[in-house]
């Protein structure tokens, strides 16, 4: 499939999805949103893919919704239903990332603002360049956060820090984001690309089904009681215990060698 505003590349077991509107700080217009959903579908159905890396081109990761997009403009004096943009585009993309059959990495190479924050946090692991920062800019234009930001921020940071970030719209440097537990880690800019590449290859070589079930178990734990979570864990472990990767893992452990997982 030919894309105009994104790039999708498959390198053996690694899928790389790049937002490619650097002149617009990789902001999301209607066309870009449609391309992102199509790209996720391609990754979902690509048999060889075992990890997805999501990043941005140029100096930004993603600046959120493009406010100049026609979907955000008045039509003959009638104000647009911008909530429909969230329902039509952002909600399915965030849920698509959360339900993808492979683990996901957000490689935050620069600014992540507005909905770009939610996009980054919807991935399983977020790694940011030292110079990157996060910005909940919604209050600056009279909106409340979207793209899952209110959920991700409160879950990871607690209500006090989430509220401060959302209401005051202050920049959160990547290093502090890591210290607060919003993201996995920060990396020096010069080592950023190589670090992300190593992480992608590491995840691609691991038991894919077990990683995805780990994501799902963590998600379920947010609303489950301990008893419910123990049952969920038993269900997942039972299923994974019949997988080829588990059999290989146990055999490799007994033979004192590195396992060779196939994602099956």
């Amino acid at each position: 499939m030919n894309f105009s505003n994104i790039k999708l590349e498959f390198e053996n077991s690694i899928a790389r999805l790049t937002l490619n509107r650097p002149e617009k700080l990789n902001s999301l217009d209607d066309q870009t949103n449609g391309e992102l959903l199509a790209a996720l579908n391609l990754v979902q159905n690509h048999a060889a893919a075992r990890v997805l890396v999501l990043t941005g081109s140029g100096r930004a990761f993603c600046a959120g919704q493009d406010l100049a997009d026609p979907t955000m403009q008045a039509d003959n004096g009638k104000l647009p239903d911008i909530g429909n943009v969230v329902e039509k585009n952002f909600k399915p993309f965030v849920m698509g990332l959360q339900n993808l059959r492979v683990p996901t990495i957000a490689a935050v190479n620069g600014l992540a603002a507005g909905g770009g924050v939610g996009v980054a946090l919807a991935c399983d692991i977020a790694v940011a360049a030292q110079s990157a920062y996060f910005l909940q800019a919604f209050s600056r234009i009279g909106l409340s956060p979207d793209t899952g930001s209110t959920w991700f921020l409160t879950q990871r940071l607690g209500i006090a820090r989430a509220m401060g970030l959302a209401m005051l719209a202050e920049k959160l440097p990547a290093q502090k984001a890591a210290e607060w537990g919003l993201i996995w880690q920060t990396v020096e800019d010069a080592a950023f690309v190589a670090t992300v590449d190593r992480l992608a290859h590491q995840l691609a070589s691991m038991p894919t089904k077990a990683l995805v079930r780990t994501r799902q178990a963590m998600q379920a734990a947010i609303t489950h009681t301990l008893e419910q979570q123990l049952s969920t864990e038993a269900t997942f472990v039972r299923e994974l215990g019949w997988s080829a990767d588990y059999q290989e893992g146990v055999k490799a452990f007994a033979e004192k060698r590195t396992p060779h997982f196939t994602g099956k």
Side-chain angles (χ1 to χ4, degrees):
M1 182 176 292
N2 294 321
F3 296 115
S4 299
N5 296 339
I6 67 171
K7 292 189 293 185
L8 178 62
E9 302 164 304
F10 292 96
E11 176 198 333
N12 298 321
S13 56
I14 299 173
R16 301 181 190 275
L17 175 55
T18 304
L19 294 164
N20 194 32
R21 300 181 78 210
E23 74 286 355
K24 296 288 187 179
L25 299 179
N26 299 319
S27 59
L28 306 172
D29 62 3
D30 197 53
Q31 179 176 339
T32 306
N33 286 319
E35 291 183 5
L36 286 172
L37 292 174
L40 277 192
N41 186 58
L42 290 174
V43 175
Q44 182 79 340
N45 291 289
H46 194 283
R50 292 178 62 188
V51 65
L52 169 67
V53 178
L54 174 59
T55 193
S57 60
R59 62 190 181 91
F61 173 74
C62 177
Q65 174 64 39
D66 184 352
L67 298 179
D69 188 64
T71 59
M72 302 293 288
Q73 306 301 310
D75 183 15
N76 294 322
K78 182 180 179 181
L79 293 176
D81 179 0
I82 60 177
N84 187 54
V85 175
V86 178
E87 286 283 353
K88 174 189 171 186
N89 296 322
F90 298 160
K91 179 179 177 180
F93 185 58
V94 168
M95 294 310 300
L97 287 170
Q98 292 273 286
N99 294 322
L100 204 63
R101 64 167 191 81
V102 299
T104 56
I105 302 169
V108 184
N109 55 298
L111 158 72
V117 176
V119 169
L121 301 183
C123 294
D124 297 324
I125 297 176
V127 179
Q130 196 77 39
S131 61
Y133 63 90
F134 299 83
L135 176 64
Q136 286 286 283
F138 297 95
S139 65
R140 296 184 180 183
I141 58 171
L143 289 179
S144 56
D146 58 31
T147 323
S149 291
T150 55
W151 194 87
F152 292 119
L153 290 174
T154 52
Q155 290 295 331
R156 299 188 187 190
L157 300 180
I159 192 69
R161 283 174 169 167
M163 197 78 78
L165 288 173
M167 286 191 169
L168 300 176
E170 295 181 354
K171 293 181 181 180
L172 180 66
Q175 185 61 48
K176 183 173 284 188
E179 293 170 357
W180 281 8
L182 185 66
I183 62 174
W184 172 240
Q185 67 177 167
T186 56
V187 181
E188 292 290 340
D189 287 22
F192 180 68
V193 173
T195 300
V196 170
D197 193 57
R198 284 196 300 271
L199 182 59
H201 279 89
Q202 179 182 347
L203 289 177
S205 69
M206 297 178 70
T208 309
K209 290 182 178 179
L211 298 182
V212 172
R213 284 304 195 195
T214 298
R215 173 210 296 153
Q216 294 168 341
M218 297 288 187
Q219 292 169 340
I222 294 170
T223 57
H224 276 183
T225 64
L226 174 59
E227 183 176 7
Q228 289 172 322
Q229 192 63 14
L230 287 166
S231 296
T232 296
E233 291 174 349
T235 297
F236 289 173
V237 168
R238 178 179 298 112
E239 172 197 298
L240 294 169
W242 291 323
S243 70
D245 276 347
Y246 171 71
Q247 303 303 320
E248 164 64 7
V250 171
K251 184 177 181 182
F253 178 80
E255 296 174 355
K256 296 181 172 56
R257 61 172 173 81
T258 301
H260 174 67
F261 296 119
T262 59
K264 299 178 180 179

